[in-house]
Amino acid sequence: MHIAKKITLLFAILSAVIISLLSGFVWYFSNEFAFEDFYKRLEARVNIAAQIKLVEDENNEAYSKMRRQYLEHLPSEKEYVIKADTNTHPNINTDDALPKSFYDRIKDGKMARYRKENHFYAGKYFDINQQGYIVIIAASDPFGFRELRDLQKILIAGFFLSIILSFIVGWKFSNYTLDPLRNIIKSMKKIKAENLHLRLDVKSYGGDEMSELAQTFNNMLNRLETAFETQNNFISNASHELRTPLTIISGEVELAMDAEMGSKEHLQALNKIKSEADRLEHILTSLLGLAQSGFNGKVQPREEVRIDELLWEIKDAVYQVHPESKIELDLSKLPEDEAAVTLKANKNLLKLAITNIVSNACKYSDFKPVSVKLESNNNLLSIAVVDQGIGIPQDDIQHIFEPFFRASNTSNFKGYGVGLPLSLNIIRLHRGSIGIKTQEGLGTEIKVMLPIN
């Protein structure tokens, strides 16, 4: 079922419930108070009948005459006057059997009322000359009942008419409300891989929730477009980087084939082939790691990792590759609680990411001392790697996390521009971030921040 139909149906149901409750209240109070005036007319006749028939007064004839002249005769009006005996239940032969509660109220000296369908009764007890009397007036009220029946018909007809109108209004309202959503869907269907530059017009939706939805789609399209561009750039750069060593290997193989076996030129060609093959293997390994780091972090195996212990392992790993490195670990600001330096992580990936950063710091500082400082603050682990190397030119900082990009002052250092992008992807998998502070010729500080929880 479409959302518009659901909204219309729900609107009609809610309207039906509200109208039913309103009609019920109107009927109840109308039924309760519609006959109040008629009861008062009966009670007035009860008092007049008692005055005329029970009290000896020379004015009774005048009262009787005024009653006949000025008080209309009610439909089916009947008058009952009997002596009352407080010890026995009265037995009055009325058209309807009056309940005991009616007589109990009379005995209490109160005006009693009773209604059965369209027949109304009003009665009261009078004490005249130490003799009790009960006076009851009965009559019918065809007008009140007719009004109630008319009101009932009006309420029923109004109920069904209101449901039909609420259904129509709900349908119009739902269509009006969902029109912007339909426009968004229509616009989104036009956007494909070949025209990702298209965007939704946020201003046309008036700044409400639909505008926020359109802006959310635009943000998603921005990320998609960036991802596609990054992928295209990655493929182009990877193709270029892989083609270079393969071309060199092919040329050196041809040279080796033409050279005399065991000659100096032959050995140089073989050494060059070996060097470029190692380079190609390193690039492919980095590319594989970079691709794997792009997977959803939830599918990566996680374990409890103490970062201070991991830093000692990273230090040993860098020394194995670059024995001339000088790495100083600063763990002076660690808390006593080991939980503050422990987080759930993929140990191998995290070790690879930080190792790349420390290794770069050693390499690009000509193996001057490198400081690695670990701090824990507000459920956030901070690993600062500070070197005294060549630094990064300001124009290059924004590109250093792009695959295969190398800063303009790194021509004298061997590298492939894959380590930092790989590290960034791994850190992001762990919901962390990387910050850089650098000055060309003075050194670089790279700070890795990882949330503990």
Side-chain angles (χ1 to χ4, degrees):
M1 183 182 291
H2 294 291
I3 295 179
K5 292 182 180 178
K6 289 182 180 178
I7 293 176
T8 303
L9 184 60
L10 180 61
F11 188 80
I13 292 174
L14 291 177
S15 299
V17 172
I18 294 173
I19 294 171
S20 298
L21 292 175
L22 180 60
S23 300
F25 280 119
V26 171
W27 172 256
Y28 173 78
F29 288 110
S30 297
N31 195 48
E32 285 293 317
F33 300 109
F35 306 112
E36 181 67 23
D37 180 67
F38 191 74
Y39 273 125
K40 289 182 178 179
R41 293 164 70 183
L42 290 181
E43 291 170 357
R45 283 165 172 77
V46 168
N47 292 326
I48 293 174
Q51 175 67 31
I52 294 173
K53 294 193 174 184
L54 300 180
V55 178
E56 295 181 1
D57 192 332
E58 59 184 10
N59 296 322
N60 282 348
E61 183 64 29
Y63 292 151
S64 179
K65 183 178 180 179
M66 289 181 62
R67 176 182 176 180
R68 289 192 300 270
Q69 288 181 350
Y70 297 104
L71 289 181
E72 63 175 326
H73 187 77
L74 299 177
S76 304
E77 182 177 345
K78 293 182 180 180
E79 188 179 280
Y80 303 92
V81 179
I82 63 170
K83 291 183 179 181
D85 186 353
T86 56
N87 297 323
T88 61
H89 191 283
N91 185 15
I92 303 177
N93 188 20
T94 57
D95 294 337
D96 301 296
L98 301 178
K100 182 176 181 297
S101 59
F102 180 83
Y103 293 109
D104 290 340
R105 188 171 179 82
I106 289 177
K107 287 182 179 181
D108 293 337
K110 300 177 182 177
M111 185 68 74
R113 294 177 176 181
Y114 177 69
R115 177 172 68 89
K116 185 176 182 182
E117 296 181 355
N118 196 27
H119 299 288
F120 296 80
Y121 296 87
K124 188 176 180 181
Y125 176 83
F126 294 92
D127 189 357
I128 306 298
N129 298 326
Q130 297 182 353
Q131 174 62 51
Y133 296 90
I134 294 177
V135 179
I136 299 175
I137 301 296
S140 298
D141 183 16
F143 302 106
F145 251 70
R146 187 184 308 157
E147 291 174 357
L148 279 181
R149 284 196 300 268
D150 292 341
L151 177 62
Q152 186 179 31
K153 293 177 182 178
I154 292 172
L155 290 177
I156 294 174
F159 173 79
F160 288 106
L161 181 61
S162 299
I163 296 302
I164 295 173
L165 290 176
S166 64
F167 187 86
I168 296 173
V169 172
W171 178 255
K172 295 291 184 181
F173 173 77
S174 61
N175 283 327
Y176 172 78
T177 304
L178 295 176
D179 270 344
L181 182 59
R182 293 191 182 97
N183 293 334
I184 290 177
I185 295 174
K186 185 178 179 180
S187 301
M188 288 299 296
K189 286 182 177 180
K190 296 179 181 178
I191 301 176
K192 299 179 182 179
E194 58 270 15
N195 58 358
L196 275 176
H197 62 280
L198 296 179
R199 294 294 182 270
L200 301 176
D201 186 7
V202 177
K203 295 181 180 179
S204 64
Y205 298 105
D208 55 8
E209 286 79 2
M210 290 299 175
S211 178
E212 293 182 12
L213 179 62
Q215 184 61 54
T216 302
F217 275 121
N218 285 344
N219 294 337
M220 181 188 69
L221 290 172
N222 290 337
R223 292 193 295 270
L224 285 175
E225 187 178 15
T226 302
F228 272 98
E229 290 179 355
T230 303
Q231 184 183 35
N232 291 334
N233 293 335
F234 177 81
I235 293 173
S236 300
N237 293 331
S239 301
H240 172 75
E241 293 293 330
L242 292 175
R243 189 180 294 113
T244 301
L246 286 175
T247 302
I248 295 175
I249 289 174
S250 298
E252 294 297 328
V253 167
E254 292 178 359
L255 181 62
M257 292 173 64
D258 294 337
E260 180 181 351
M261 183 69 69
S263 63
K264 182 178 180 182
E265 292 79 6
H266 185 266
L267 292 177
Q268 286 179 344
L270 292 178
N271 286 332
K272 189 66 174 179
I273 291 172
K274 176 67 169 56
S275 175
E276 293 300 321
D278 291 342
R279 178 186 173 193
L280 184 60
E281 180 184 5
H282 189 279
I283 292 175
L284 291 174
T285 302
S286 299
L287 288 176
L288 179 61
L290 193 59
Q292 288 178 335
S293 69
F295 293 157
N296 187 340
K298 293 183 179 179
V299 303
Q300 303 288 350
R302 302 277 177 126
E303 59 182 295
E304 296 288 340
V305 179
R306 280 197 58 165
I307 300 301
D308 54 342
E309 296 178 355
L310 184 66
L311 290 180
W312 286 106
E313 296 180 16
I314 290 171
K315 181 179 179 180
D316 294 338
V318 174
Y319 279 157
Q320 290 179 3
V321 180
H322 304 294
E324 63 274 32
S325 300
K326 300 179 182 65
I327 302 174
E328 301 174 357
L329 291 183
D330 183 359
L331 307 178
S332 59
K333 293 189 177 181
L334 288 187
E336 296 181 359
D337 184 9
E338 66 177 45
V341 292
T342 304
L343 55 83
K344 267 204 165 187
N346 183 299
K347 184 176 181 180
N348 292 330
L349 284 180
L350 192 59
K351 181 178 179 181
L352 174 61
I354 301 176
T355 299
N356 282 339
I357 296 173
V358 177
S359 178
N360 283 347
C362 294
K363 180 172 65 174
Y364 292 110
S365 64
D366 285 327
F367 302 103
K368 294 178 182 177
V370 172
S371 170
V372 180
K373 186 176 182 179
L374 177 62
E375 295 183 14
S376 177
N377 186 24
N378 295 330
N379 292 326
L380 190 69
L381 279 176
S382 170
I383 304 169
V385 180
V386 182
D387 63 49
Q388 305 172 31
I390 61 175
I392 304 172
Q394 291 297 317
D395 295 338
D396 294 342
I397 291 178
Q398 58 182 332
H399 302 293
I400 62 171
F401 291 113
E402 297 176 5
F404 302 109
F405 176 83
R406 302 196 71 209
S408 57
N409 59 346
T410 60
S411 57
N412 296 329
F413 299 89
K414 186 178 181 181
Y416 308 103
V418 182
L420 277 181
L422 175 59
S423 297
L424 178 62
N425 282 0
I426 293 174
I427 297 302
R428 283 178 174 174
L429 281 180
H430 294 82
R431 296 181 293 116
S433 60
I434 296 180
I436 295 181
K437 184 169 63 175
T438 183
Q439 187 172 353
E440 189 175 4
L442 295 180
T444 301
E445 178 182 354
I446 295 182
K447 182 172 287 188
V448 176
M449 287 159 285
L450 296 167
I452 294 177
N453 296 325

